[in-house]
Amino acid sequence: MRKIMLLGILLYCFQVMGQEVFPGGIYGVGGSYNLTYPPELCPDPGNCNFDLYNLIGGGNTAAMSKGSTYPGPFQTHNWWNSALWNVNTPACVGDITTTENMHSNAMYPIPPMIIEAESYGISLRYRPIALNGGGPNNTGNFFADEDIVFGFNGATCSRTDVVNYGDMHVTLEQDMGGGNKLYTTASQGSPYIFFERQGTAEPTFFLFFLKATAVSTSGNSITFDRSCCPAGTNPHFGKIALFFPPGTTISNDGINYIPLTTIPTNGSEYGGNNRYWRIRLPAGVNHFTTAIMPDGSQETLDLYEQYAFNKITDTRFTYSYDEATATLTSTFDFITTNVLGNSGNESLLVLYLHQYLYSPQYPANSVGLNYSSSRGYMEVITGNQFSTVMKNYGLLPALGWANTADSIQLYNLVQTFADSRNYINTNCGDPVYGALGALHECARIAEIAHAVGNYAARDKLLNIAKEGIERWLTSPDGEYTAMYHYDKDFNWLTPFPSAFDADRLLQDSHFHHGYLIYAAAIVARFESVLYNSTTWATEWGPMIEVVIRNINDYRRDMTPPANPDDVWFPYLRYFDPYAGHSWAGHDASNQESVSEAINFAAGAVMWGETTGNTAIRDMGLMMYITETEAARMYWWDGARRGLNNGFYAPNYAHYHGAILAPGGVAYATFFGANPHYMHGITYVPITGSSIWMGVDPAGAANNHADFEAAFGGPTDGSGGFWSSVMLMQQAVYDAATAKTRFLNEAIPNNWSGPDYDVEGLYWITTFDSVGRVDASVQADVASFAVFKKDGCRHYMIYNAPGKGERMVNFSDGQSFLVPADTIVTYRVCGILPVRLTDFYGKRNAEVVDLFWSTSSEKDNEYFILERSIDGKNFIQIARVKGMGNSSSMQHYFYKDVNPHIGMNYYRLRQADTDGKESISRVISVNFDASITFSIIPNPTDQLITISFNESSEYSISLHSSLGQMLFERDNVINSEQIDLSEYPSGMYMLKVIDKETGAWKVEKVLKK
């Protein structure tokens, strides 16, 4: 057992009852995980005969297909993961076949493209659309015959190993014997598959019902088309192109070798011996490439040939969150090398809908081509990097209470729920959803109890949640009813007991343990609110963060720990940055309950915000913002394309998909076919982070109408608590109808238990009071929400513990001084008496010039200009007379002749003639002192040294041309070095801040 002891400072080992015990690990805190499998948890003999449990529990590392150069911890939930450790899952959920496949299942670099490792090489298929409305075991992945197979002249291999990978790409190795190996590199976002031969054997390709249609202008590339189907009868097939180095010849008999230009392209199908071709590469050249293309025109083939030998050698995903502007920037880098020695490093990249809609590189870098897929059209751009810029539309631990009319009923319902709850018995029912879900439920209803003033119920529910969380986070000897196990071979932390085969199939942890993390964040918040204490979060936080990092580690740690019993996790295990959402299956095969993945992301946000861990908070925000966009785009028809118009498939009769797969979607669930389930599973649990459902009211209405059409009418109580869930979903666009039905039907007829009576009434009546989500307004805090109804806006703000009273600024010009440790709601109605349209400042020699404008004024007595050096404590520096009443643009100016050295913060306090005041947003002006330093060498291809001329303490950071931070170092005294060798060539920005004066300066750095 790995113990994390309250007082354990020293690491020591001893034997207790035959089990390993290693106190230490994360020192000075509570919590523990177990290194041995519980003996009680043997596979059910009545199930299928082979089980992943045996592979993990038996330490069967031979099941891993890791090559000798495989880097980092064991990966799961990647698009290529079935090549690393593949087992075939039959219809019997949770059980696997008795025969292990050491190659791979179908893998989807981009949804139209399917590649699969086989004993005889790599097969490629092109199937852009494949969907159904059927059951969960047929989620639209298309496993049809190959289109083309690449290998070596009849040779086979016993296994396919993963030898390298990045955030989006993978390289596979197949040893064909006799010193001959085939290396295959594929990447998300790339239409290319790159091959490299080792040895002397001639590579081969085998065609299935294909016909040659074009040869490139250079004569080095050829494209094939499927010939099996009459025109217009099958939308699945596109163009497959092969790209060879100059001087390549091919043969279908092994004797006569011909150039590509002699192959007929008149539409003849290649059958019989003509299907099998050998490739004779020029001397000293070992690379060739294939690709799928959106069409087979000469122009497209020539375009794709330009980039075919810019091989992807690394891929990297990075992100940054700007709290001041509520903006997430995600960056995708594709590092390439031209394997023929030519210049140029760009490529063709294929972007998902949720990427190009938010990418500054689109349509500027578009080539005017797209692929049809089950997730809408995918657009093609040129480049080796692109970014997406998305806004945070808001999330909260719980909705701020804005409705007093229903307080008494809610107070009583909260009491009924609290009276029905005692400490959760984790052996009862489904041990994960029944235990962790119940802890989450107690915590979130404690938030509601606090809002309506039922403090006794609040405290009871918080104590239940706290006790349950602590029990799960400790693993005493011989106690297996609530514990975590860490497997050091597979770098996997899993709970026991488990549910839905999460332990056996390495799946669903983001669903299950998002509940625990969210509940822990609420407990930590109330420890501060009620007791002004951070002791609980300090004591239990490291173990909670171990659980978070197991699911999605925000740290890119490629170095194994010195002690192998210490936890070591892959970067962003469950979350697929390129697809924009998480995967439930360990081989990235499906994602059902996207809302539970969002719940994990929100829990990470709340934990990070509550405890001050901005790295976890920003990881959670990256997931939350991206995954909610994906939910609207791919689980809903978020781009308003409509049925039979590019979204899903022509024969798909819904606006909603319940299970998303790499190559399709299913209107189904793994647990039943009731439409309540198939829609509700996309929404639960409904918390303060579920306001994403209301960002697109028209989409919410479409999806509810889709539910009613499938169900045969408005929801009734036949769905149990799912019926209440559907009314809660309806409330985001039609709260009045949802409230009437909930009060008159759901509660009186006991549609659900006391839990959803509380949560449904709180959610629905709040939306009825505040209106719809207003996604046009953002705040400069991480956790907020804005609503609009009848000319009034409601601003909900979570000011986390430890931040003190703070000014929160909204993008519509509103600002509020928010008390510490609160979830608070502000209401603003009507046209503002004074509409401030602009407020900015700039340095002018030794003074700061400040400017502001109004578009209209009513009873405007004066402005007070205030200044601060910390952004919190402001003093008055000027009073400027207002115009009183005006309907035209008015401009104001003030010169601050005594600014502080460093950063200056300014705000306006506007006063009406009747004494009412409002406060503007805060702006900043950097009044820096002189700062000088040198960068040597610049340009460089490796190290740079930054040397300072003055004795001071500096902070330095390196940023890409798109603004993402790549390197940061604090407390630099005289000099600092930065190694640029791992970064691609290009322009970078070095920012230096003098921590004593606040002065800062930015210089360009050129990487050769």
Side-chain angles (χ1 to χ4, degrees):
M1 183 189 309
R2 186 61 164 172
K3 301 292 280 186
I4 306 171
M5 305 296 291
L6 178 60
L7 301 176
I9 303 300
L10 301 176
L11 180 66
Y12 59 99
C13 304
F14 56 92
Q15 293 292 319
V16 177
M17 299 177 63
Q19 288 189 339
E20 290 182 295
V21 184
F22 299 93
I26 302 174
Y27 306 116
V29 298
S32 61
Y33 52 84
N34 202 310
L35 290 173
T36 58
Y37 265 75
E40 294 92 332
L41 297 179
C42 296
D44 180 357
N47 253 326
C48 300
N49 297 323
F50 193 76
D51 199 292
L52 289 183
Y53 172 89
N54 292 327
L55 294 179
I56 306 172
N60 186 6
T61 55
M64 301 179 185
S65 296
K66 294 200 303 186
S68 59
T69 58
Y70 178 91
F74 189 82
Q75 293 277 342
T76 61
H77 300 83
N78 279 299
W79 68 268
W80 49 264
N81 222 86
S82 66
L84 179 60
W85 179 24
N86 177 60
V87 285
N88 295 316
T89 305
C92 180
V93 176
D95 302 303
I96 58 181
T97 58
T98 58
T99 302
E100 187 179 352
N101 177 354
M102 297 304 291
H103 297 286
S104 85
N105 288 336
M107 300 179 290
Y108 294 73
I110 55 176
M113 178 194 291
I114 305 172
I115 65 171
E116 187 167 353
E118 311 276 4
S119 62
Y120 41 81
I122 299 294
S123 66
L124 172 65
R125 311 167 216 165
Y126 182 9
R127 306 288 187 273
I129 301 177
L131 303 106
N132 70 88
N137 294 312
N138 181 17
T139 50
N141 292 325
F142 201 97
F143 299 108
D145 291 337
E146 297 95 338
D147 287 332
I148 189 168
V149 175
F150 299 89
F152 279 139
N153 193 23
T156 61
C157 62
S158 62
R159 59 187 290 143
T160 299
D161 287 330
V162 176
V163 293
N164 198 12
Y165 63 87
D167 293 343
M168 282 85 76
H169 85 286
V170 69
T171 298
L172 308 176
E173 177 189 74
Q174 295 177 307
D175 189 339
M176 299 293 188
N180 298 301
K181 295 182 179 180
L182 182 65
Y183 292 92
T184 305
T185 298
S187 177
Q188 288 176 300
S190 174
Y192 297 103
I193 307 293
F194 303 94
F195 295 102
E196 180 179 358
R197 171 192 63 177
Q198 179 178 302
T200 59
E202 291 180 342
T204 59
F205 62 93
F206 190 89
L207 306 173
F208 291 86
F209 305 107
L210 296 182
K211 58 185 178 182
T213 55
V215 176
S216 65
T217 302
S218 70
N220 298 318
S221 306
I222 189 168
T223 184
F224 293 92
D225 188 15
R226 192 77 163 177
S227 61
C228 72
C229 311
T233 64
N234 195 322
H236 296 310
F237 305 110
K239 308 294 179 179
I240 296 176
L242 278 65
F243 307 94
F244 298 113
T248 299
T249 56
I250 63 174
S251 170
N252 66 354
D253 60 9
I255 300 173
N256 299 300
Y257 286 82
I258 60 174
L260 299 182
T261 52
T262 63
I263 296 178
T265 57
N266 58 5
S268 299
E269 180 185 303
Y270 284 81
N273 292 332
N274 285 334
R275 295 180 182 174
Y276 187 82
W277 293 84
R278 295 187 184 186
I279 306 167
R280 179 163 289 177
L281 298 169
V285 178
N286 293 300
H287 295 86
F288 62 98
T289 304
T290 187
I292 60 168
M293 302 195 310
D295 65 55
S297 68
Q298 185 74 55
E299 294 79 11
T300 300
L301 180 60
D302 289 342
L303 172 67
Y304 274 59
E305 186 182 64
Q306 291 180 39
Y307 307 98
F309 289 96
N310 291 344
K311 179 182 176 181
I312 292 174
T313 55
D314 196 12
T315 51
R316 183 163 287 237
F317 167 74
T318 55
Y319 60 91
S320 62
Y321 182 73
D322 184 349
E323 187 172 19
T325 60
T327 300
L328 170 72
T329 300
S330 299
T331 303
F332 302 85
D333 283 294
F334 297 80
I335 295 86
T336 64
T337 299
N338 187 282
V339 295
L340 300 183
N342 299 325
S343 61
N345 62 355
E346 290 194 339
S347 190
L348 294 176
L349 303 176
V350 183
L351 276 59
Y352 281 109
L353 177 70
H354 77 278
Q355 292 172 327
Y356 64 78
L357 288 180
Y358 295 98
S359 177
Q361 288 75 39
Y362 182 83
N365 294 352
S366 172
V367 298
L369 297 171
N370 59 60
Y371 293 87
S372 178
S373 84
S374 58
R375 304 187 193 191
Y377 293 107
M378 303 181 72
E379 297 289 336
V380 183
I381 67 168
T382 58
N384 53 21
Q385 183 190 79
F386 72 91
S387 61
T388 61
V389 181
M390 298 178 178
K391 286 292 187 180
N392 179 7
Y393 299 126
L395 74 166
L396 293 158
L399 293 182
W401 186 228
N403 171 28
T404 58
D406 300 288
S407 294
I408 294 176
Q409 185 176 12
L410 259 172
Y411 185 103
N412 293 331
L413 288 173
V414 164
Q415 190 62 52
T416 299
F417 173 79
D419 290 343
S420 70
R421 293 298 186 267
N422 288 300
Y423 175 67
I424 309 300
N425 180 352
T426 56
N427 284 318
C428 293
D430 180 335
V432 171
Y433 283 145
L436 299 183
L439 298 177
H440 181 270
E441 187 176 66
C442 287
R444 65 185 190 252
I445 292 182
E447 285 276 15
I448 298 173
H450 180 75
V452 298
N454 193 333
Y455 301 133
R458 174 200 66 194
D459 294 345
K460 178 181 180 181
L461 296 174
L462 286 172
N463 286 331
I464 291 173
K466 181 166 33 172
E467 183 178 352
I469 293 167
E470 292 173 4
R471 188 177 181 195
W472 275 95
L473 297 181
T474 51
S475 301
D477 298 334
E479 188 269 293
Y480 303 119
T481 57
M483 60 161 283
Y484 280 95
H485 165 79
Y486 175 68
D487 187 280
K488 57 190 175 184
D489 292 323
F490 293 86
N491 309 123
W492 172 262
L493 188 77
T494 190
F496 289 111
S498 184
F500 293 95
D501 295 293
D503 55 334
R504 294 164 47 186
L505 295 181
L506 280 68
Q507 64 187 18
D508 289 1
S509 281
H510 60 326
F511 294 165
H512 302 171
H513 303 295
Y515 289 107
L516 180 138
I517 294 158
Y518 208 121
I522 292 175
V523 169
R525 158 174 142 70
F526 276 107
E527 288 289 299
S528 177
V529 170
L530 302 179
Y531 309 116
N532 193 30
S533 171
T534 59
T535 300
W536 190 86
T538 301
E539 178 179 345
W540 297 96
M543 186 60 196
I544 292 168
E545 292 175 11
V546 165
V547 177
I548 292 173
R549 291 196 299 111
N550 173 64
I551 298 168
N552 281 298
D553 201 339
Y554 56 92
R555 305 185 302 194
R556 195 191 306 272
D557 186 2
M558 302 299 286
T559 305
N563 186 332
D565 299 324
D566 287 340
V567 293
W568 187 33
F569 302 127
Y571 180 59
L572 300 177
R573 182 198 301 274
Y574 270 89
F575 183 73
D576 184 332
Y578 209 85
H581 59 81
S582 303
W583 292 110
H586 75 274
D587 56 352
S589 57
N590 70 86
Q591 172 86 329
E592 183 182 52
S593 181
V594 64
S595 53
E596 287 184 298
I598 291 169
N599 183 61
F600 163 80
V605 174
M606 299 311 163
W607 177 262
E609 183 75 349
T610 299
T611 62
N613 190 324
T614 55
I616 287 181
R617 184 202 71 176
D618 289 356
M619 178 273 291
L621 282 167
M622 179 276 296
M623 285 187 60
Y624 179 83
I625 293 169
T626 311
E627 193 133 16
T628 54
E629 285 291 345
R632 287 189 291 269
M633 292 294 173
Y634 309 134
W635 277 261
W636 292 4
D637 181 7
R640 296 281 83 74
R641 290 170 300 251
L643 297 179
N644 304 332
N645 187 26
F647 186 65
Y648 295 162
N651 61 345
Y652 194 83
H654 300 280
Y655 281 98
H656 183 88
I659 301 175
L660 197 68
V665 71
Y667 190 70
T669 73
F670 285 102
F671 57 92
N674 188 326
H676 287 89
Y677 307 159
M678 290 183 279
H679 287 263
I681 195 63
T682 307
Y683 311 131
V684 294
I686 296 181
T687 71
S689 63
S690 301
I691 59 172
W692 68 269
M693 299 189 303
V695 168
D696 179 6
N702 272 352
N703 274 268
H704 197 86
D706 191 273
F707 157 74
E708 291 193 353
F711 181 64
T715 188
D716 61 18
S718 62
F721 89 94
W722 299 97
S723 300
S724 297
V725 167
M726 292 312 300
L727 287 182
M728 295 172 75
Q729 187 268 333
Q730 185 180 28
V732 303
Y733 71 92
D734 184 5
T737 299
K739 179 180 178 180
T740 298
R741 299 201 63 213
F742 199 83
L743 288 173
N744 296 336
E745 298 177 59
I747 293 179
N749 295 319
N750 194 27
W751 283 13
S752 55
D755 49 351
Y756 268 84
D757 283 351
V758 173
E759 294 181 291
L761 186 60
Y762 187 84
W763 175 272
I764 292 169
T765 57
T766 299
F767 267 87
D768 186 53
S769 298
V770 302
R772 294 180 174 182
V773 174
D774 187 347
S776 69
V777 181
Q778 280 73 47
D780 59 0
V781 293
S783 186
F784 69 93
V786 182
F787 303 84
K788 190 172 184 180
K789 181 181 181 180
D790 298 334
C792 298
R793 277 198 176 111
H794 288 80
Y795 303 82
M796 297 182 186
I797 306 162
Y798 173 43
N799 188 13
K803 296 183 181 293
E805 184 181 57
R806 64 189 299 198
M807 182 65 65
V808 175
N809 306 295
F810 286 83
S811 59
D812 64 349
Q814 288 293 339
S815 296
F816 305 97
L817 191 61
V818 182
D821 297 352
T822 55
I823 300 175
V824 65
T825 302
Y826 298 91
R827 182 170 180 251
V828 177
C829 296
I831 299 175
L832 296 176
V834 175
R835 186 172 293 278
L836 190 69
T837 60
D838 206 2
F839 179 34
Y840 67 97
K842 65 179 181 179
R843 180 174 179 175
N844 181 11
E846 300 305 312
V847 302
V848 172
D849 291 336
L850 296 150
F851 308 84
W852 65 99
S853 304
T854 62
S855 59
S856 63
E857 297 184 22
K858 181 181 180 182
D859 300 329
N860 181 21
E861 182 71 13
Y862 55 81
F863 294 99
I864 291 177
L865 185 63
E866 299 178 329
R867 182 181 63 211
S868 169
I869 60 173
D870 60 6
K872 297 179 181 179
N873 302 299
F874 287 84
I875 61 171
Q876 178 177 332
I877 62 171
R879 176 168 167 162
V880 179
K881 180 69 176 176
M883 287 296 294
N885 295 291
S886 171
S887 58
S888 61
M889 187 71 72
Q890 302 295 324
H891 303 283
Y892 297 86
F893 170 76
Y894 182 78
K895 188 183 297 292
D896 182 7
V897 297
N898 294 303
H900 294 284
I901 298 298
M903 193 66 73
N904 292 261
Y905 298 90
Y906 298 94
R907 71 184 185 190
L908 290 168
R909 188 182 295 273
Q910 182 269 323
D912 295 343
T913 54
D914 60 2
K916 293 181 180 179
E917 292 187 348
S918 62
I919 299 175
S920 77
R921 65 186 178 92
V922 176
I923 65 170
S924 61
V925 177
N926 190 33
F927 194 82
D928 60 345
S930 62
I931 178 172
T932 57
F933 57 90
S934 60
I935 305 172
I936 300 174
N938 187 17
T940 184
D941 58 358
Q942 291 185 347
L943 290 173
I944 59 170
T945 300
I946 303 99
S947 301
F948 299 98
N949 297 345
E950 303 293 334
S951 177
S952 186
E953 190 173 352
Y954 301 92
S955 172
I956 64 175
S957 56
L958 184 71
H959 304 257
S960 75
S961 59
L962 292 175
Q964 71 268 29
M965 184 183 294
L966 305 174
F967 175 92
E968 184 178 27
R969 186 63 52 83
D970 206 5
N971 302 323
V972 176
I973 302 298
N974 297 313
S975 65
E976 182 67 30
Q977 285 188 328
I978 303 177
D979 186 357
L980 300 182
S981 61
E982 65 176 289
Y983 302 126
S985 300
M987 187 70 71
Y988 296 86
M989 310 304 293
L990 181 74
K991 182 176 183 180
V992 176
I993 302 173
D994 188 326
K995 298 181 68 176
E996 295 181 8
T997 67
W1000 61 273
K1001 191 174 183 180
V1002 175
E1003 292 287 353
K1004 295 178 181 179
V1005 176
L1006 181 63
K1007 167 69 187 301
K1008 295 180 182 179

